[in-house]
Amino acid sequence: MAPTPQWVRDLKPSPPQGSDLLAEEREKSKVSVEKLSNFLFTKEVLERQDRILKILQAEKVFDKSQNYFDGRVDRFKRSLARAKRLRQLQVKHNWDKDEYGCANELISEPTPYALHASMYLTTLRGQGTPEQHKLFLEPAESYKAIGCYAQTELGHGSNVRGLETTATWDPKTKTFILHSPTLTASKWWIGSMGRTANHAVVMAQLIIAGKPYGPHPFVCQIRDLKTHQPLEGIHVGDIGPKFGYNTMDNGFLLFNHVRIPHINMLAKFSSVDPEIGKYIRPSSPSLVYGTLTWVRSTIVLQSGSVLARGVTIATRYTAVRRQFQDRDAPADAHGENQVLNYTMVQYRLLPLLAATFALHFTGKAMMAMYQENQKKMTSDARKASNINRGAGPEETHSGSDLLADLHATSCGLKALGSTTAVEGLEVCRRACGGHGYSSFGGIGTWYADYLPTATWEGDNYMLTQQVARYLLKSARAVLKGNAPNNDTTRIFATYLQKQDMGAAHDVLGSDSDLVDAFAWRTSFLTFEALKHRDDEKNSWNSLLVDFWRLSTAHSEYLVVKNFYDTLQSQSLQYELDPATIDVLHKLFRLYALHTLEKATSEFYSSAAVTVHQIQLARTKTVMKLLEEVRPHALRLVDSWSFPDWQLDSSLGRKDGKVYEDMFYRASELNPLNGLTVDPYPDSDGLVKKDETASFKSKL
């Protein structure tokens, strides 16, 4: 490729320069970026990120200059090399799980080891016995065995109970026989399975003496550790190119009567007695799906930062990009207006900016709830083991309540968080105008890689049924007077006590009343759904849309409440200055009132708010909040502390050199500009032979 002429390199964008515009933007606000970043992530985490970033940038294999140009095969090869080098660096620097996770976040692509490091290891740790940890977990942690989590099938995804793969207990040989009885029983979409993994945790229907006992996890070797060829009776491979996520080898897997030893059934919570073939039940059937709960909780935690990447890029770019002149500008005014100054752009972007903080605080609360539940699960499993061994019954009610609460909360927030992030990323891309369609923008490819999150680990619409089932059950318990003491039952009890008097929430003047209005809406929709189901005897299927609305309302209540609780925390008052706290309060109200505005019919019909309040929220309050948040937008996105290397975006550069970077990538990094193609084909329409040879050699 001919080098870019010096006269081209000397060209500058028309003034004002992007770097000057962003500097002016940051001067408008007194938000302390450093303090807010430390509050969001802690100083230790940010220092860890800086340290690991320097290590990665020094490694040639992590060079990102060709990321947007490679085809699928090259991307997979490059990503596999990165995954291997990342593991070597983990050993070299003795990185713990959090440090390794940080490195993966900075690389910002799903590597072929991703499912091994996450779901496979998590499942072995959480559902294996000490003996199984020695046999399976230790080789996996040292990467002597590379695994994946094989649950989804060609014919079943969200309906885990409908999985067709079977694991039949053979009492004569004391083995399980894994089998795929149909084509639709083929494991499908399994990350890391296509070409990388040599082991899998397989979710299969346990069958003992012809009786099914539901899906259970089994460890199975699928490839030879030396030749990497599939083992006898196993057909495995890659499922092909996808809409995104193409650095990952999602795979398929079929079994033809493959025998595995008794020890290969993960048996922390349930097992089969090898001597008498008796099934030992878990204290709760949901314990078997512990990995899914962990994944959903993690998705909730990550949704805020996923969305924040798009918001950061779009906010910085719209502060640099100038289009048209303000119609009401003074007659002597010159120059075009910054795109971020247009209220229509603010209305699209700034509520998403508020949502990034709301989701972040909710994600932290979700993970704290998960960790508490893990302790309860271990305790309850020990008690259940004592019962099975004749030690007598013990009380496990509180653990079961927490598990049910966690399951419903993780389902609802997974659905809301990932949907908000997915839809928000597309809003951010469109806000960047035409350049948002370029891969160099950094949003489109990130959107494509994140998009499957809305359907995997439970389709978002299907998951809302789990939330509705939990809420209806809780409402029935409140009515009967035997409900456990938790936040859900408390808001239901409050609603029942006050429903005749009305809500009387001051949503425009009181933050706590705003939270209560969201709780009231959830309670109203719950008891309405309960009436339709229990009194009117409507079918479950006929109520699915109501259940989706109910789950969304409840999850939005949880997000608003978690944001509010964070603002009341002592740590916030201690770590942040008054100016920054004031902006966070504005973000809270912007998120809550903008959400309320989008669901006005539900808030009004439930009597949570009045028509006048809705009108004021729509025409006055939200627009006023946009105006008040606007000067702080740049500093707020800066507080997320994304390095430019991680964003890999021309439009989202922290220094504002948008056009310089975009032109550099197109002109000097683009390999297509190094190809010479004959524009005059032969009469048969083919490229000339000598030109074809030249073309191939340059490829």
Side-chain angles (χ1 to χ4, degrees):
M1 177 169 61
T4 302
Q6 187 60 46
W7 64 268
V8 174
R9 295 184 180 184
D10 291 339
L11 293 175
K12 301 293 182 184
S14 59
Q17 300 302 304
S19 53
D20 295 333
L21 288 169
L22 293 195
E24 292 174 6
E25 284 291 325
R26 293 183 175 107
E27 285 298 317
K28 296 176 182 178
S29 171
K30 293 184 179 180
V31 166
S32 173
V33 173
E34 182 179 2
K35 288 182 179 179
L36 185 52
S37 295
N38 289 342
F39 179 73
L40 292 173
F41 308 108
T42 75
K43 184 178 180 180
E44 292 73 20
V45 167
L46 294 172
E47 289 176 345
R48 178 181 68 198
Q49 176 177 280
D50 290 341
R51 170 170 50 84
I52 293 175
L53 177 61
K54 292 176 182 177
I55 294 173
L56 297 179
Q57 287 177 313
E59 298 284 337
K60 185 177 180 180
V61 71
F62 298 120
D63 172 51
K64 296 189 176 187
S65 62
Q66 292 299 304
N67 274 12
Y68 296 133
F69 300 106
D70 284 342
R72 195 207 167 200
V73 173
D74 287 335
R75 290 193 70 195
F76 172 73
K77 290 179 179 179
R78 191 189 300 269
S79 190
L80 182 58
R82 288 170 174 172
K84 291 182 177 181
R85 184 54 183 158
L86 202 59
R87 169 58 186 167
Q88 293 168 353
L89 291 173
Q90 182 184 23
V91 174
K92 177 181 178 180
H93 297 285
N94 195 29
W95 286 343
D96 60 22
K97 183 177 69 172
D98 292 334
E99 290 170 314
Y100 181 78
C102 175
N104 268 298
E105 287 292 322
L106 289 168
I107 293 172
S108 295
E109 70 180 30
T111 71
Y113 284 1
L115 274 294
H116 170 83
S118 56
M119 294 186 74
Y120 185 67
L121 292 180
T122 297
T123 304
L124 294 181
R125 291 186 186 116
Q127 302 196 47
T129 64
E131 182 182 6
Q132 290 170 327
H133 285 174
K134 185 74 176 177
L135 186 61
F136 303 121
L137 180 59
E138 289 184 11
E141 288 182 325
S142 63
Y143 283 67
K144 294 178 181 177
I146 305 297
C148 57
Y149 184 80
Q151 177 168 292
T152 299
E153 295 177 352
L154 189 58
H156 287 87
S158 298
N159 181 16
V160 179
R161 292 185 180 183
L163 296 178
E164 299 177 62
T165 303
T166 57
T168 304
W169 171 247
D170 182 358
K172 294 181 180 179
T173 60
K174 292 183 171 55
T175 60
F176 295 99
I177 304 172
L178 291 176
H179 184 58
S180 307
T182 64
L183 183 65
T184 45
S186 171
K187 295 298 180 182
W188 201 268
W189 286 112
I190 312 304
S192 302
M193 175 177 280
R195 303 304 302 161
T196 307
N198 47 45
H199 283 73
V201 167
V202 180
M203 290 296 289
Q205 298 283 359
L206 173 62
I207 299 176
I208 305 174
K211 181 180 178 181
Y213 287 85
H216 287 71
F218 300 84
V219 179
C220 180
Q221 183 176 341
I222 59 176
R223 288 185 172 99
D224 186 274
L225 296 183
K226 292 184 178 179
T227 67
H228 205 61
Q229 294 304 305
L231 298 182
E232 184 70 24
I234 289 175
H235 184 52
V236 61
D238 181 85
I239 65 170
K242 289 98 52 179
F243 184 78
Y245 219 73
N246 283 305
T247 54
M248 174 65 74
D249 54 329
N250 295 85
F252 62 80
L253 173 66
L254 285 162
F255 299 97
N256 185 24
H257 301 287
V258 175
R259 291 182 180 270
I260 58 175
H262 172 267
I263 189 65
N264 285 40
M265 176 181 174
L266 294 180
K268 182 176 181 179
F269 301 117
S270 60
S271 60
V272 175
D273 188 318
E275 301 305 321
I276 60 176
K278 178 185 177 181
Y279 177 63
I280 302 173
R281 298 181 179 277
S283 58
S284 169
S286 298
L287 294 173
V288 178
Y289 309 121
T291 300
L292 284 180
T293 304
W294 174 80
V295 173
R296 288 168 185 159
S297 300
T298 303
I299 289 173
V300 177
L301 177 64
Q302 293 174 339
S303 61
S305 62
V306 166
L307 177 59
R309 287 181 62 143
V311 173
T312 297
I313 292 169
T315 302
R316 287 175 177 171
Y317 175 62
T318 55
V320 170
R321 184 73 167 181
R322 289 168 294 116
Q323 291 286 287
F324 307 105
Q325 192 174 47
D326 188 339
R327 289 177 179 269
D328 297 316
D332 58 348
H334 299 285
E336 296 174 295
N337 199 17
Q338 287 170 279
V339 171
L340 190 55
N341 285 338
Y342 292 108
T343 55
M344 195 64 243
V345 173
Q346 294 172 18
Y347 186 76
R348 291 149 69 193
L349 286 184
L350 298 186
L352 291 177
L353 174 58
T356 64
F357 290 89
L359 291 174
H360 178 75
F361 298 137
T362 299
K364 293 175 72 172
M366 179 79 254
M367 291 307 295
M369 184 180 183
Y370 173 80
Q371 295 300 334
E372 181 184 356
N373 180 72
Q374 287 297 100
K375 296 177 182 177
K376 282 287 186 183
M377 284 173 60
T378 301
S379 174
D380 287 356
R382 189 180 301 114
K383 293 175 183 178
S385 178
N386 290 336
I387 294 172
N388 286 326
R389 289 171 173 78
E394 293 187 52
E395 179 61 49
T396 61
H397 181 67
S398 60
S400 299
D401 291 339
L402 182 59
L403 181 59
D405 197 18
L406 172 69
H407 175 67
T409 302
S410 66
C411 285
L413 289 177
K414 182 269 178 182
L416 178 65
S418 59
T419 296
T420 302
V422 162
E423 295 178 352
L425 285 174
E426 174 60 7
V427 171
C428 291
R429 188 193 66 78
R430 292 189 182 191
C432 292
H435 290 329
Y437 193 65
S438 168
S439 292
F440 303 156
I443 299 178
T445 50
W446 184 242
Y447 167 81
D449 282 350
Y450 185 75
L451 185 57
T453 310
T455 47
W456 65 24
E457 317 316 332
D459 173 81
N460 282 356
Y461 289 100
M462 184 283 301
L463 285 178
T464 60
Q465 295 182 58
Q466 304 292 318
V467 184
R469 183 178 289 110
Y470 166 76
L471 293 175
L472 294 183
K473 183 178 179 180
S474 297
R476 293 186 188 106
V478 170
L479 291 172
K480 293 177 181 178
N482 61 354
N485 183 24
N486 58 40
D487 181 68
T488 302
T489 57
R490 284 194 293 272
I491 68 170
F492 286 173
T494 299
Y495 171 79
L496 292 175
Q497 292 169 5
K498 296 183 177 180
Q499 63 176 332
D500 292 335
M501 297 180 290
H505 296 127
D506 180 16
V507 295
L508 301 180
S510 168
D511 287 355
S512 61
D513 272 16
L514 188 49
V515 177
D516 290 342
F518 276 81
W520 188 276
R521 169 201 181 202
T522 294
S523 302
F524 172 83
L525 292 176
T526 299
F527 285 103
E528 282 291 297
L530 188 64
K531 179 180 68 176
H532 296 323
R533 180 63 175 166
D534 290 2
D535 298 342
E536 300 171 3
K537 306 300 180 183
N538 289 325
S539 69
W540 187 265
N541 185 54
S542 69
L543 296 173
L544 291 185
V545 175
D546 288 344
F547 293 160
W548 165 69
R549 292 190 179 114
L550 171 56
S551 174
T552 302
H554 179 61
S555 300
E556 288 176 344
Y557 157 68
L558 292 175
V559 174
V560 169
K561 182 178 183 299
N562 281 305
F563 201 160
Y564 174 80
D565 288 346
T566 301
L567 294 178
Q568 311 311 308
S569 66
Q570 291 185 349
S571 59
L572 177 132
Q573 305 297 328
Y574 176 75
E575 296 180 39
L576 297 181
D577 57 278
T580 304
I581 292 174
D582 180 65
V583 174
L584 285 180
H585 274 277
K586 288 181 169 62
L587 287 174
F588 162 75
R589 294 191 62 77
L590 177 58
Y591 174 79
L593 289 171
H594 184 264
T595 303
L596 183 153
E597 181 190 353
K598 292 189 298 181
T600 52
S601 62
E602 293 177 5
F603 280 92
Y604 173 68
S605 61
S606 67
V609 297
T610 66
V611 172
H612 186 57
Q613 287 173 320
I614 291 172
Q615 291 172 335
L616 289 177
R618 175 176 293 167
T619 61
K620 300 291 184 182
T621 311
V622 169
M623 298 308 296
K624 180 65 175 177
L625 286 167
L626 294 177
E627 180 183 341
E628 293 174 343
V629 169
R630 162 68 180 86
H632 309 289
L634 259 291
R635 284 182 175 266
L636 288 170
V637 298
D638 286 349
S639 70
W640 279 92
S641 298
F642 291 116
D644 281 343
W645 191 81
Q646 181 181 9
L647 290 179
D648 196 16
S649 167
S650 295
L651 305 186
R653 286 180 61 107
K654 190 175 182 179
D655 62 7
K657 294 184 177 181
V658 168
Y659 304 117
E660 298 94 321
D661 190 77
M662 179 164 271
F663 195 90
Y664 169 75
R665 291 178 189 246
S667 178
E668 302 197 30
L669 296 183
N670 188 351
L672 191 61
N673 288 327
L675 299 179
T676 301
V677 181
D678 183 3
Y680 305 105
D682 292 335
S683 59
D684 58 5
L686 299 176
V687 177
K688 294 179 181 179
K689 292 182 179 180
D690 57 339
E691 292 293 343
T692 302
S694 174
F695 185 85
K696 288 183 177 179
S697 67
K698 291 180 179 179
L699 277 176

